Amino acid sequence: MATLALLQARSLAVGNEYYFRNSIVDSFRNKENDAAVKIQSWFRGCQVRAYIRHLHRTVTIIQKWWRSFLGRKQYQLTVQVARYTIMMNLYSAMAVRIQRRWRGYRVRKYVFNYYYFKEYLRVVSETNDAIRKALEEFAEMKEREEKKANLDREEEKRDYQARKMHYLLSTKQIPGIYNSPFRKEPDPWELQLQKAKPLTHHRPKVKQKDSTSLTDWLACTSTRSFPRSEILPPINRKKCQGPFRGITEVLKQRYKPLEPTLRVAEPINELKLAREELRRKEWLRNVNDNMFLPFSSYHKNKKYLPSMHLSSKYSPTSHKEQFRSENPKKWICDKDFQTVLPSFELFSKYGKLYSKAGQIV
């Protein structure tokens, strides 16, 4: 009874102690659970980072091999271009040497032949002397003819003037103005008036129509019996030696047709239309608008393809700011984690990273 009473008296304290210990156990269980979650997250983070490092190394190896292949191809192309350039330079030098020899022989043989050129100059000088002498004689003859024509025209003018002034001739009863009694000798015009005949006015003759009878036409005695032929062309003569131009060229220059000015012949926007036409022709001629220049510096402007470390969001600059920072002191061992097959969730989570790495490669 005493024990039962003691237990009943201590039942409240036992219940409180039981609930107190249970609460302490729950708090420790939550703390252990949080610690386990933290350990799991840290381990999974280390595992993912190790896998990403493995992917980086793999992608870098692929890029290295691919770029080495491109480099070898480019080097082979450069070697071929250099060989082609050397061959073309050699061929050009040989062609220049052959041309130099042939042109020297041709010039010495035909162009600058001293004796032939000397004989040619002698003949030209003799011909020029003969032509110059003939031209001087022709000029003297033309000058004499011109003087004679001038004298004849003056004589005709004086004769006509004397015929017009024939009424001033002196008579036996009345002396003329050119035959003054106070002069010892008469004026020369007086003698000219005595020789000239008086000028008479003739009536204009009426031109009769040319009447051609039928008999004359049938007898082929009239000028209208046959059609009149055109003027015959000039006889082809030997071209004169000297800097003389042809008759057709001189007439063409003399009677050149009227050419409109630039303001009338061309519109105001001629330059703009010409540029548009040139641009349209170039666009039609080019199948591809991007110019292909393999043997120039066009490839230098090509955009550089960065590697995986520089193009991804996990760049070295972000390691210091994000959770992916590597601290070798906290590593469990010096060896990296071994790669494992990713689960479905890990594959779906990093599927975009795989596709992006494939595009970069």
Side-chain angles (χ1 to χ4, degrees), residues 15-31:
N16 293 333
E17 187 176 357
Y18 174 76
Y19 286 112
F20 176 72
R21 290 183 179 181
N22 286 338
S23 61
I24 292 174
V25 169
D26 292 336
S27 62
F28 276 106
R29 186 180 293 110
N30 294 332
K31 187 180 294 185

mmCIF file with all atom_site columns, all heavy atoms in Angstrom, residues 15-31:
data_model
loop_
_atom_site.group_PDB
_atom_site.id
_atom_site.type_symbol
_atom_site.label_atom_id
_atom_site.label_alt_id
_atom_site.label_comp_id
_atom_site.label_asym_id
_atom_site.label_entity_id
_atom_site.label_seq_id
_atom_site.pdbx_PDB_ins_code
_atom_site.Cartn_x
_atom_site.Cartn_y
_atom_site.Cartn_z
_atom_site.occupancy
_atom_site.B_iso_or_equiv
_atom_site.pdbx_formal_charge
_atom_site.auth_seq_id
_atom_site.auth_comp_id
_atom_site.auth_asym_id
_atom_site.auth_atom_id
_atom_site.pdbx_PDB_model_num
ATOM 1   N N   . GLY A 1 15 ? 5.139  11.607 -15.133 1.00 0.00 ? 15 GLY A N   1
ATOM 2   C CA  . GLY A 1 15 ? 4.537  12.013 -16.422 1.00 0.00 ? 15 GLY A CA  1
ATOM 3   C C   . GLY A 1 15 ? 5.222  13.248 -16.991 1.00 0.00 ? 15 GLY A C   1
ATOM 4   O O   . GLY A 1 15 ? 5.509  13.333 -18.191 1.00 0.00 ? 15 GLY A O   1
ATOM 5   N N   . ASN A 1 16 ? 5.481  14.187 -16.065 1.00 0.00 ? 16 ASN A N   1
ATOM 6   C CA  . ASN A 1 16 ? 6.162  15.408 -16.563 1.00 0.00 ? 16 ASN A CA  1
ATOM 7   C C   . ASN A 1 16 ? 7.569  15.092 -17.102 1.00 0.00 ? 16 ASN A C   1
ATOM 8   O O   . ASN A 1 16 ? 8.011  15.652 -18.123 1.00 0.00 ? 16 ASN A O   1
ATOM 9   C CB  . ASN A 1 16 ? 6.255  16.422 -15.435 1.00 0.00 ? 16 ASN A CB  1
ATOM 10  C CG  . ASN A 1 16 ? 4.872  16.951 -15.024 1.00 0.00 ? 16 ASN A CG  1
ATOM 11  O OD1 . ASN A 1 16 ? 3.945  16.964 -15.856 1.00 0.00 ? 16 ASN A OD1 1
ATOM 12  N ND2 . ASN A 1 16 ? 4.698  17.341 -13.766 1.00 0.00 ? 16 ASN A ND2 1
ATOM 13  N N   . GLU A 1 17 ? 8.255  14.222 -16.322 1.00 0.00 ? 17 GLU A N   1
ATOM 14  C CA  . GLU A 1 17 ? 9.604  13.870 -16.791 1.00 0.00 ? 17 GLU A CA  1
ATOM 15  C C   . GLU A 1 17 ? 9.561  13.115 -18.115 1.00 0.00 ? 17 GLU A C   1
ATOM 16  O O   . GLU A 1 17 ? 10.412 13.316 -19.009 1.00 0.00 ? 17 GLU A O   1
ATOM 17  C CB  . GLU A 1 17 ? 10.286 13.004 -15.717 1.00 0.00 ? 17 GLU A CB  1
ATOM 18  C CG  . GLU A 1 17 ? 11.758 12.722 -16.039 1.00 0.00 ? 17 GLU A CG  1
ATOM 19  C CD  . GLU A 1 17 ? 12.440 11.946 -14.914 1.00 0.00 ? 17 GLU A CD  1
ATOM 20  O OE1 . GLU A 1 17 ? 11.765 11.702 -13.888 1.00 0.00 ? 17 GLU A OE1 1
ATOM 21  O OE2 . GLU A 1 17 ? 13.636 11.613 -15.089 1.00 0.00 ? 17 GLU A OE2 1
ATOM 22  N N   . TYR A 1 18 ? 8.514  12.270 -18.306 1.00 0.00 ? 18 TYR A N   1
ATOM 23  C CA  . TYR A 1 18 ? 8.383  11.515 -19.561 1.00 0.00 ? 18 TYR A CA  1
ATOM 24  C C   . TYR A 1 18 ? 8.163  12.462 -20.759 1.00 0.00 ? 18 TYR A C   1
ATOM 25  O O   . TYR A 1 18 ? 8.823  12.357 -21.802 1.00 0.00 ? 18 TYR A O   1
ATOM 26  C CB  . TYR A 1 18 ? 7.223  10.519 -19.421 1.00 0.00 ? 18 TYR A CB  1
ATOM 27  C CG  . TYR A 1 18 ? 6.889  9.789  -20.691 1.00 0.00 ? 18 TYR A CG  1
ATOM 28  C CD1 . TYR A 1 18 ? 7.719  8.730  -21.132 1.00 0.00 ? 18 TYR A CD1 1
ATOM 29  C CD2 . TYR A 1 18 ? 5.796  10.150 -21.460 1.00 0.00 ? 18 TYR A CD2 1
ATOM 30  C CE1 . TYR A 1 18 ? 7.408  8.079  -22.309 1.00 0.00 ? 18 TYR A CE1 1
ATOM 31  C CE2 . TYR A 1 18 ? 5.497  9.482  -22.612 1.00 0.00 ? 18 TYR A CE2 1
ATOM 32  C CZ  . TYR A 1 18 ? 6.299  8.441  -23.051 1.00 0.00 ? 18 TYR A CZ  1
ATOM 33  O OH  . TYR A 1 18 ? 6.001  7.793  -24.218 1.00 0.00 ? 18 TYR A OH  1
ATOM 34  N N   . TYR A 1 19 ? 7.230  13.407 -20.529 1.00 0.00 ? 19 TYR A N   1
ATOM 35  C CA  . TYR A 1 19 ? 6.970  14.377 -21.625 1.00 0.00 ? 19 TYR A CA  1
ATOM 36  C C   . TYR A 1 19 ? 8.183  15.265 -21.882 1.00 0.00 ? 19 TYR A C   1
ATOM 37  O O   . TYR A 1 19 ? 8.474  15.642 -23.027 1.00 0.00 ? 19 TYR A O   1
ATOM 38  C CB  . TYR A 1 19 ? 5.734  15.230 -21.284 1.00 0.00 ? 19 TYR A CB  1
ATOM 39  C CG  . TYR A 1 19 ? 4.435  14.467 -21.429 1.00 0.00 ? 19 TYR A CG  1
ATOM 40  C CD1 . TYR A 1 19 ? 3.672  14.147 -20.327 1.00 0.00 ? 19 TYR A CD1 1
ATOM 41  C CD2 . TYR A 1 19 ? 3.999  14.034 -22.693 1.00 0.00 ? 19 TYR A CD2 1
ATOM 42  C CE1 . TYR A 1 19 ? 2.492  13.451 -20.435 1.00 0.00 ? 19 TYR A CE1 1
ATOM 43  C CE2 . TYR A 1 19 ? 2.817  13.324 -22.807 1.00 0.00 ? 19 TYR A CE2 1
ATOM 44  C CZ  . TYR A 1 19 ? 2.063  13.040 -21.702 1.00 0.00 ? 19 TYR A CZ  1
ATOM 45  O OH  . TYR A 1 19 ? 0.911  12.334 -21.812 1.00 0.00 ? 19 TYR A OH  1
ATOM 46  N N   . PHE A 1 20 ? 8.925  15.607 -20.806 1.00 0.00 ? 20 PHE A N   1
ATOM 47  C CA  . PHE A 1 20 ? 10.117 16.434 -20.973 1.00 0.00 ? 20 PHE A CA  1
ATOM 48  C C   . PHE A 1 20 ? 11.186 15.707 -21.784 1.00 0.00 ? 20 PHE A C   1
ATOM 49  O O   . PHE A 1 20 ? 11.809 16.268 -22.682 1.00 0.00 ? 20 PHE A O   1
ATOM 50  C CB  . PHE A 1 20 ? 10.644 16.828 -19.588 1.00 0.00 ? 20 PHE A CB  1
ATOM 51  C CG  . PHE A 1 20 ? 11.926 17.615 -19.642 1.00 0.00 ? 20 PHE A CG  1
ATOM 52  C CD1 . PHE A 1 20 ? 11.930 18.951 -20.090 1.00 0.00 ? 20 PHE A CD1 1
ATOM 53  C CD2 . PHE A 1 20 ? 13.142 17.029 -19.287 1.00 0.00 ? 20 PHE A CD2 1
ATOM 54  C CE1 . PHE A 1 20 ? 13.119 19.644 -20.143 1.00 0.00 ? 20 PHE A CE1 1
ATOM 55  C CE2 . PHE A 1 20 ? 14.317 17.753 -19.349 1.00 0.00 ? 20 PHE A CE2 1
ATOM 56  C CZ  . PHE A 1 20 ? 14.307 19.068 -19.770 1.00 0.00 ? 20 PHE A CZ  1
ATOM 57  N N   . ARG A 1 21 ? 11.393 14.416 -21.437 1.00 0.00 ? 21 ARG A N   1
ATOM 58  C CA  . ARG A 1 21 ? 12.398 13.656 -22.191 1.00 0.00 ? 21 ARG A CA  1
ATOM 59  C C   . ARG A 1 21 ? 11.974 13.438 -23.645 1.00 0.00 ? 21 ARG A C   1
ATOM 60  O O   . ARG A 1 21 ? 12.811 13.469 -24.554 1.00 0.00 ? 21 ARG A O   1
ATOM 61  C CB  . ARG A 1 21 ? 12.632 12.319 -21.496 1.00 0.00 ? 21 ARG A CB  1
ATOM 62  C CG  . ARG A 1 21 ? 13.365 12.473 -20.173 1.00 0.00 ? 21 ARG A CG  1
ATOM 63  C CD  . ARG A 1 21 ? 13.640 11.113 -19.549 1.00 0.00 ? 21 ARG A CD  1
ATOM 64  N NE  . ARG A 1 21 ? 14.369 11.271 -18.288 1.00 0.00 ? 21 ARG A NE  1
ATOM 65  C CZ  . ARG A 1 21 ? 14.775 10.254 -17.515 1.00 0.00 ? 21 ARG A CZ  1
ATOM 66  N NH1 . ARG A 1 21 ? 14.485 8.993  -17.910 1.00 0.00 ? 21 ARG A NH1 1
ATOM 67  N NH2 . ARG A 1 21 ? 15.428 10.472 -16.395 1.00 0.00 ? 21 ARG A NH2 1
ATOM 68  N N   . ASN A 1 22 ? 10.680 13.191 -23.847 1.00 0.00 ? 22 ASN A N   1
ATOM 69  C CA  . ASN A 1 22 ? 10.203 13.029 -25.243 1.00 0.00 ? 22 ASN A CA  1
ATOM 70  C C   . ASN A 1 22 ? 10.429 14.302 -26.073 1.00 0.00 ? 22 ASN A C   1
ATOM 71  O O   . ASN A 1 22 ? 10.795 14.268 -27.247 1.00 0.00 ? 22 ASN A O   1
ATOM 72  C CB  . ASN A 1 22 ? 8.738  12.637 -25.269 1.00 0.00 ? 22 ASN A CB  1
ATOM 73  C CG  . ASN A 1 22 ? 8.516  11.186 -24.857 1.00 0.00 ? 22 ASN A CG  1
ATOM 74  O OD1 . ASN A 1 22 ? 9.445  10.352 -24.950 1.00 0.00 ? 22 ASN A OD1 1
ATOM 75  N ND2 . ASN A 1 22 ? 7.335  10.863 -24.373 1.00 0.00 ? 22 ASN A ND2 1
ATOM 76  N N   . SER A 1 23 ? 10.192 15.455 -25.439 1.00 0.00 ? 23 SER A N   1
ATOM 77  C CA  . SER A 1 23 ? 10.406 16.730 -26.175 1.00 0.00 ? 23 SER A CA  1
ATOM 78  C C   . SER A 1 23 ? 11.890 16.934 -26.502 1.00 0.00 ? 23 SER A C   1
ATOM 79  O O   . SER A 1 23 ? 12.253 17.415 -27.582 1.00 0.00 ? 23 SER A O   1
ATOM 80  C CB  . SER A 1 23 ? 9.887  17.892 -25.336 1.00 0.00 ? 23 SER A CB  1
ATOM 81  O OG  . SER A 1 23 ? 10.602 17.972 -24.099 1.00 0.00 ? 23 SER A OG  1
ATOM 82  N N   . ILE A 1 24 ? 12.739 16.550 -25.517 1.00 0.00 ? 24 ILE A N   1
ATOM 83  C CA  . ILE A 1 24 ? 14.178 16.664 -25.790 1.00 0.00 ? 24 ILE A CA  1
ATOM 84  C C   . ILE A 1 24 ? 14.593 15.735 -26.915 1.00 0.00 ? 24 ILE A C   1
ATOM 85  O O   . ILE A 1 24 ? 15.382 16.097 -27.817 1.00 0.00 ? 24 ILE A O   1
ATOM 86  C CB  . ILE A 1 24 ? 14.978 16.376 -24.498 1.00 0.00 ? 24 ILE A CB  1
ATOM 87  C CG1 . ILE A 1 24 ? 14.748 17.494 -23.486 1.00 0.00 ? 24 ILE A CG1 1
ATOM 88  C CG2 . ILE A 1 24 ? 16.474 16.264 -24.810 1.00 0.00 ? 24 ILE A CG2 1
ATOM 89  C CD1 . ILE A 1 24 ? 15.369 17.226 -22.120 1.00 0.00 ? 24 ILE A CD1 1
ATOM 90  N N   . VAL A 1 25 ? 14.039 14.512 -26.901 1.00 0.00 ? 25 VAL A N   1
ATOM 91  C CA  . VAL A 1 25 ? 14.355 13.552 -27.964 1.00 0.00 ? 25 VAL A CA  1
ATOM 92  C C   . VAL A 1 25 ? 13.886 14.079 -29.334 1.00 0.00 ? 25 VAL A C   1
ATOM 93  O O   . VAL A 1 25 ? 14.588 13.962 -30.365 1.00 0.00 ? 25 VAL A O   1
ATOM 94  C CB  . VAL A 1 25 ? 13.728 12.203 -27.646 1.00 0.00 ? 25 VAL A CB  1
ATOM 95  C CG1 . VAL A 1 25 ? 13.815 11.276 -28.874 1.00 0.00 ? 25 VAL A CG1 1
ATOM 96  C CG2 . VAL A 1 25 ? 14.424 11.547 -26.469 1.00 0.00 ? 25 VAL A CG2 1
ATOM 97  N N   . ASP A 1 26 ? 12.703 14.729 -29.365 1.00 0.00 ? 26 ASP A N   1
ATOM 98  C CA  . ASP A 1 26 ? 12.200 15.291 -30.642 1.00 0.00 ? 26 ASP A CA  1
ATOM 99  C C   . ASP A 1 26 ? 13.117 16.407 -31.161 1.00 0.00 ? 26 ASP A C   1
ATOM 100 O O   . ASP A 1 26 ? 13.392 16.511 -32.373 1.00 0.00 ? 26 ASP A O   1
ATOM 101 C CB  . ASP A 1 26 ? 10.783 15.824 -30.477 1.00 0.00 ? 26 ASP A CB  1
ATOM 102 C CG  . ASP A 1 26 ? 9.780  14.693 -30.233 1.00 0.00 ? 26 ASP A CG  1
ATOM 103 O OD1 . ASP A 1 26 ? 10.110 13.539 -30.654 1.00 0.00 ? 26 ASP A OD1 1
ATOM 104 O OD2 . ASP A 1 26 ? 8.706  14.940 -29.676 1.00 0.00 ? 26 ASP A OD2 1
ATOM 105 N N   . SER A 1 27 ? 13.566 17.252 -30.229 1.00 0.00 ? 27 SER A N   1
ATOM 106 C CA  . SER A 1 27 ? 14.460 18.338 -30.660 1.00 0.00 ? 27 SER A CA  1
ATOM 107 C C   . SER A 1 27 ? 15.783 17.779 -31.211 1.00 0.00 ? 27 SER A C   1
ATOM 108 O O   . SER A 1 27 ? 16.302 18.247 -32.243 1.00 0.00 ? 27 SER A O   1
ATOM 109 C CB  . SER A 1 27 ? 14.730 19.285 -29.490 1.00 0.00 ? 27 SER A CB  1
ATOM 110 O OG  . SER A 1 27 ? 15.394 18.597 -28.440 1.00 0.00 ? 27 SER A OG  1
ATOM 111 N N   . PHE A 1 28 ? 16.322 16.748 -30.469 1.00 0.00 ? 28 PHE A N   1
ATOM 112 C CA  . PHE A 1 28 ? 17.541 16.123 -30.988 1.00 0.00 ? 28 PHE A CA  1
ATOM 113 C C   . PHE A 1 28 ? 17.293 15.422 -32.320 1.00 0.00 ? 28 PHE A C   1
ATOM 114 O O   . PHE A 1 28 ? 18.150 15.427 -33.223 1.00 0.00 ? 28 PHE A O   1
ATOM 115 C CB  . PHE A 1 28 ? 18.098 15.124 -29.960 1.00 0.00 ? 28 PHE A CB  1
ATOM 116 C CG  . PHE A 1 28 ? 18.946 15.780 -28.909 1.00 0.00 ? 28 PHE A CG  1
ATOM 117 C CD1 . PHE A 1 28 ? 18.488 15.957 -27.617 1.00 0.00 ? 28 PHE A CD1 1
ATOM 118 C CD2 . PHE A 1 28 ? 20.235 16.231 -29.236 1.00 0.00 ? 28 PHE A CD2 1
ATOM 119 C CE1 . PHE A 1 28 ? 19.269 16.572 -26.657 1.00 0.00 ? 28 PHE A CE1 1
ATOM 120 C CE2 . PHE A 1 28 ? 21.022 16.838 -28.264 1.00 0.00 ? 28 PHE A CE2 1
ATOM 121 C CZ  . PHE A 1 28 ? 20.544 17.021 -26.968 1.00 0.00 ? 28 PHE A CZ  1
ATOM 122 N N   . ARG A 1 29 ? 16.115 14.822 -32.489 1.00 0.00 ? 29 ARG A N   1
ATOM 123 C CA  . ARG A 1 29 ? 15.797 14.139 -33.764 1.00 0.00 ? 29 ARG A CA  1
ATOM 124 C C   . ARG A 1 29 ? 15.732 15.159 -34.919 1.00 0.00 ? 29 ARG A C   1
ATOM 125 O O   . ARG A 1 29 ? 16.234 14.923 -36.031 1.00 0.00 ? 29 ARG A O   1
ATOM 126 C CB  . ARG A 1 29 ? 14.460 13.413 -33.635 1.00 0.00 ? 29 ARG A CB  1
ATOM 127 C CG  . ARG A 1 29 ? 14.154 12.551 -34.881 1.00 0.00 ? 29 ARG A CG  1
ATOM 128 C CD  . ARG A 1 29 ? 12.824 11.824 -34.735 1.00 0.00 ? 29 ARG A CD  1
ATOM 129 N NE  . ARG A 1 29 ? 12.882 10.827 -33.673 1.00 0.00 ? 29 ARG A NE  1
ATOM 130 C CZ  . ARG A 1 29 ? 12.249 10.910 -32.503 1.00 0.00 ? 29 ARG A CZ  1
ATOM 131 N NH1 . ARG A 1 29 ? 11.493 11.971 -32.238 1.00 0.00 ? 29 ARG A NH1 1
ATOM 132 N NH2 . ARG A 1 29 ? 12.357 9.948  -31.584 1.00 0.00 ? 29 ARG A NH2 1
ATOM 133 N N   . ASN A 1 30 ? 15.111 16.305 -34.651 1.00 0.00 ? 30 ASN A N   1
ATOM 134 C CA  . ASN A 1 30 ? 15.066 17.347 -35.708 1.00 0.00 ? 30 ASN A CA  1
ATOM 135 C C   . ASN A 1 30 ? 16.464 17.860 -36.052 1.00 0.00 ? 30 ASN A C   1
ATOM 136 O O   . ASN A 1 30 ? 16.800 18.099 -37.223 1.00 0.00 ? 30 ASN A O   1
ATOM 137 C CB  . ASN A 1 30 ? 14.189 18.517 -35.242 1.00 0.00 ? 30 ASN A CB  1
ATOM 138 C CG  . ASN A 1 30 ? 12.730 18.106 -35.104 1.00 0.00 ? 30 ASN A CG  1
ATOM 139 O OD1 . ASN A 1 30 ? 12.262 17.190 -35.810 1.00 0.00 ? 30 ASN A OD1 1
ATOM 140 N ND2 . ASN A 1 30 ? 11.991 18.748 -34.211 1.00 0.00 ? 30 ASN A ND2 1
ATOM 141 N N   . LYS A 1 31 ? 17.290 18.053 -35.009 1.00 0.00 ? 31 LYS A N   1
ATOM 142 C CA  . LYS A 1 31 ? 18.652 18.524 -35.264 1.00 0.00 ? 31 LYS A CA  1
ATOM 143 C C   . LYS A 1 31 ? 19.426 17.484 -36.073 1.00 0.00 ? 31 LYS A C   1
ATOM 144 O O   . LYS A 1 31 ? 20.171 17.827 -37.006 1.00 0.00 ? 31 LYS A O   1
ATOM 145 C CB  . LYS A 1 31 ? 19.346 18.788 -33.930 1.00 0.00 ? 31 LYS A CB  1
ATOM 146 C CG  . LYS A 1 31 ? 20.713 19.452 -34.093 1.00 0.00 ? 31 LYS A CG  1
ATOM 147 C CD  . LYS A 1 31 ? 21.364 19.688 -32.757 1.00 0.00 ? 31 LYS A CD  1
ATOM 148 C CE  . LYS A 1 31 ? 20.569 20.714 -31.938 1.00 0.00 ? 31 LYS A CE  1
ATOM 149 N NZ  . LYS A 1 31 ? 21.253 21.045 -30.657 1.00 0.00 ? 31 LYS A NZ  1
#
